[in-house]
Structures are given as C-alpha cells and as structure tokens.
Amino acid sequence: MKQFLILTFILLVNCSAENTTKDNNDEVLDNLWCVPKTDIAGGGTYPVKENPNYKSVSEVDAIGFLNENSRLALLKINGQVYAYPYDYTNNFEVINDTFGDVPLAITYCPITESALSFDRRLPNGEIIIMKASGFLYKDNLITTDANLKYYWSQMAIRGLRDSSKEIRLKTFNIIESYWLSVKTHFPNAMVFNHPDVADCNCDEDPVPIDYNNLLGVIHEHVFDDIVHVFSYNNFSNGIELDYTSVNGQDVIIVGSKEKVYFNAFYLPSNLSFAALDVNEFPNVLIDNEGNIWDAFGYAVSGNRQGSKLNSPKSYVAAEWAFKDIFENIVFHN
C-alpha cells in the first residue's frame, strides 16, 4: 500500500511527455504540469510585447501619469540606463527587447510585486519571445514563449512543464527604484512608454514604494532552492553592506532604505569593498584598489573602469510570496 501511494504521488507531480490538446484559453489537463495542479491558477495569455517604445525622462514626466513615488525597474546595459515603470508594464507583464546581441525580457508580476529580467537565449541556442501565460504558480506570474511550448515560474525560475523542467533561465541584473530617483540620479535614462497611455488607466492604481518587500538572493538548486532574504530595515543608515554565501561563493549585499535600493554581487577573490557615503549615489562602493562602483555593479572609475561585478539571481518581492514559493528561507536580520 505504501509503495502504491508513493507511485501515485510521483505520477501526480511529475510532467507527462504526452501531447495533450488545449483549448483557445490554453486550459490544459493536469498531467502537463510538473507541480500539483492545485498550485496553478488562471488561464489564457497576454499579448506579446516586442520592440518597445522609449521616451526621455522629461518627455514621460511631462505626460504626468507617473508620480514621484511610482515604482519601477532599472536596467543598465551597454552604458545606457532603461526604466520600466510598473504602472506601464502591468498591461503586458513581459517586455521583450534586444540590446546589441543580448535578447532580454523584463518581467513584472503585480501580485507578488516581483521584477526580473531574463536572457531569452536557451541552452540549445534557441532565442524565444516571452510573454505572460495568463497562468499563475502560487499566485506568481508564469512566463511562456510565443509558441506556448515552455512555461516557467518567474520567481522560482523553474520549468513547470515537461518541455521546460530542465531549463533554468539565465537572469540579467536589474534593480528596483522609483520615479523621483530616476529624475534625480538617472536623468538620461530611456523610459519604457506605454503605447496607448491615454487609454491604459495606468494612473488609476499607482504602484508605490513598498518598504515591506524583501530582497531575495537565490541559492540555485534545481528542485530545492534556498533563498536568503534581506529587509530595507537592514540598510536604514545611508548605504550599508551585508554578506552571505550562495552557490559556494561569497556575496555582498548593498542596500539603502533612503535611496530605495538593493543589489547583490559575487565578491571577487582579490577585492574588498566599503560603502560610499549616501550622497555619492548612484555610486555605492569603493574597493581596496580605489575603484568606484555604481548601483548596477559597473566600475565607473579606477583601473577596472568598465568592468562589471557578476551577480547571483536576486530580486525584490513581497515577503508572503517568498514564503509561498520557497520552502527554505534564510532571514538576515
């Protein structure tokens, strides 16, 4: 009897290789999911968003939809900063773009308040177009591709069907910020512009700063991730530093409640860091060689100018979401 129950459990939670028909809303049978169907909700898909339009900070500010407290994601790549206000991304949840030869998808789940950027290149060399699937895994966004072949949990970064269960997406470092900070510290940023801002109701439910959210740094195991979480209250005195270890490597956490800023970097073996004064923001670190590093992990001066610190998978999300999705959480106080 015990062996029968174990076998039944395995059949329920593991993916099936069978092709199963799906209707126009992509409502699928239970045996396609690698996780219990009770953890899956929703259905249907969002539109694909490619080739996004960007405007200058001054142009977007003149439209007047964003307030100074509006939350957003910031990406820095090829020397340019890009801003993605959540008030605008909510209508798509996934934005596809290509920066030079790097195809990325910027994603935001308004329920779990989590923003991540994914590299759209799969290990087999395929470059996918991503979109929101309409499904949720434990109330978190499930991303898919334009052909509805692959499905991943955004926060767990875990494949949820047979086609994607072994594929761990690479992430690209982004940080969470807010509109006043962009205007003050990143005035040359390019801002994702909603294509129909006059009719998108983007200002009806503004997405403000939430100091109760946490930064999670993921220890990457395929089936049993461990997440280290940090509170804004850990970084309430200017720019402060904390440390942990993930994936067998030492990690430095840099944060500032005043600047609404978190980031995490792997520690190079030959460098040590100190926090800069908060008035130096968006520069945040100085190392033992005298190099200055900015909020994204780029060296902006010194003999390493132009270099970038590597980062573990990390992002900001609601505390309850981390507790729902991860079984192993290490709270840093």
Side-chain angles (χ1 to χ4, degrees):
M1 181 65 179
K2 182 178 180 181
Q3 290 177 333
F4 172 79
L5 291 174
I6 292 173
L7 178 60
T8 301
F9 175 77
I10 291 172
L11 290 173
L12 283 172
V13 301
N14 280 279
C15 293
S16 169
E18 292 182 31
N19 289 322
T20 307
T21 57
K22 51 192 176 185
D23 65 20
N24 292 332
N25 290 321
D26 196 31
E27 295 292 348
V28 298
L29 298 181
D30 293 358
N31 65 349
L32 278 183
W33 297 104
C34 301
V35 293
K37 186 65 189 301
T38 53
D39 289 337
I40 303 295
T45 62
Y46 280 59
V48 169
K49 182 58 183 172
E50 296 183 87
N51 305 312
N53 174 259
Y54 298 94
K55 290 185 178 294
S56 68
V57 171
S58 58
E59 287 175 317
V60 172
D61 200 43
I63 296 171
F65 274 83
L66 302 179
N67 61 51
E68 293 188 343
N69 198 36
S70 293
R71 206 162 10 134
L72 45 83
L74 288 177
L75 164 73
K76 184 177 181 180
I77 189 168
N78 299 330
Q80 177 65 54
V81 175
Y82 297 85
Y84 298 86
Y86 300 157
D87 297 286
Y88 292 173
T89 63
N90 274 350
N91 294 88
F92 307 101
E93 298 192 4
V94 179
I95 312 296
N96 293 271
D97 205 348
T98 301
F99 305 90
D101 60 351
V102 182
L104 299 178
I106 292 82
T107 70
Y108 177 70
C109 176
I111 300 175
T112 54
E113 301 182 67
S114 51
L116 290 86
S117 178
F118 294 104
D119 191 323
R120 296 189 281 111
R121 294 170 291 192
L122 302 187
N124 64 2
E126 181 182 2
I127 299 175
I128 62 172
I129 303 299
M130 297 184 72
K131 65 177 182 176
S133 69
F135 287 105
L136 299 172
Y137 170 64
K138 296 186 176 181
D139 291 324
N140 175 238
L141 164 68
I142 295 178
T143 63
T144 187
D145 63 294
N147 296 320
L148 306 180
K149 179 179 179 181
Y150 307 106
Y151 289 78
W152 294 275
S153 161
Q154 182 217 32
M155 286 182 62
I157 317 175
R158 171 184 175 181
L160 299 177
R161 295 208 190 154
D162 188 68
S163 59
S164 47
K165 69 178 181 180
E166 301 296 336
I167 302 175
R168 294 285 289 202
L169 295 173
K170 294 182 179 179
T171 58
F172 195 93
N173 190 262
I174 60 174
I175 61 175
E176 187 165 271
S177 189
Y178 63 110
W179 186 234
L180 178 60
S181 182
V182 173
K183 294 195 294 181
T184 303
H185 301 297
F186 308 102
N188 296 319
M190 299 305 296
V191 185
F192 168 67
N193 181 58
H194 193 286
D196 191 19
V197 69
D199 296 318
C200 74
N201 298 321
C202 298
D203 61 338
E204 288 191 355
D205 297 301
V207 182
I209 299 165
D210 190 341
Y211 290 108
N212 294 314
N213 289 350
L214 305 174
L215 174 73
V217 182
I218 298 176
H219 186 93
E220 298 175 43
H221 292 293
V222 174
F223 296 112
D224 190 20
D225 286 3
I226 300 170
V227 60
H228 298 256
V229 294
F230 300 82
S231 165
Y232 276 112
N233 292 328
N234 294 36
F235 305 90
S236 57
N237 297 309
I239 297 171
E240 295 190 271
L241 308 181
D242 205 341
Y243 299 87
T244 190
S245 178
V246 298
N247 312 318
Q249 300 182 63
D250 292 328
V251 173
I252 184 172
I253 315 300
V254 190
S256 172
K257 185 174 183 178
E258 178 181 341
K259 294 298 182 181
V260 194
Y261 165 74
F262 278 130
N263 215 337
F265 308 108
Y266 287 121
L267 273 171
S269 59
N270 55 346
L271 291 180
S272 58
F273 294 90
L276 291 172
D277 186 272
V278 71
N279 294 319
E280 299 293 321
F281 192 85
N283 297 329
V284 295
L285 293 171
I286 185 170
D287 66 30
N288 55 302
E289 296 178 353
N291 301 291
I292 302 295
W293 304 81
D294 72 6
F296 300 91
Y298 288 92
V300 295
S301 67
N303 65 304
R304 296 180 184 254
Q305 184 172 352
S307 300
K308 186 180 186 300
L309 297 171
N310 292 324
S311 293
K313 289 179 169 66
S314 62
Y315 53 86
V316 175
E319 180 176 355
W320 67 262
F322 283 117
K323 290 179 177 178
D324 274 5
I325 290 177
F326 296 94
E327 293 185 3
N328 298 297
I329 302 178
V330 180
F331 288 88
H332 291 256
N333 296 314

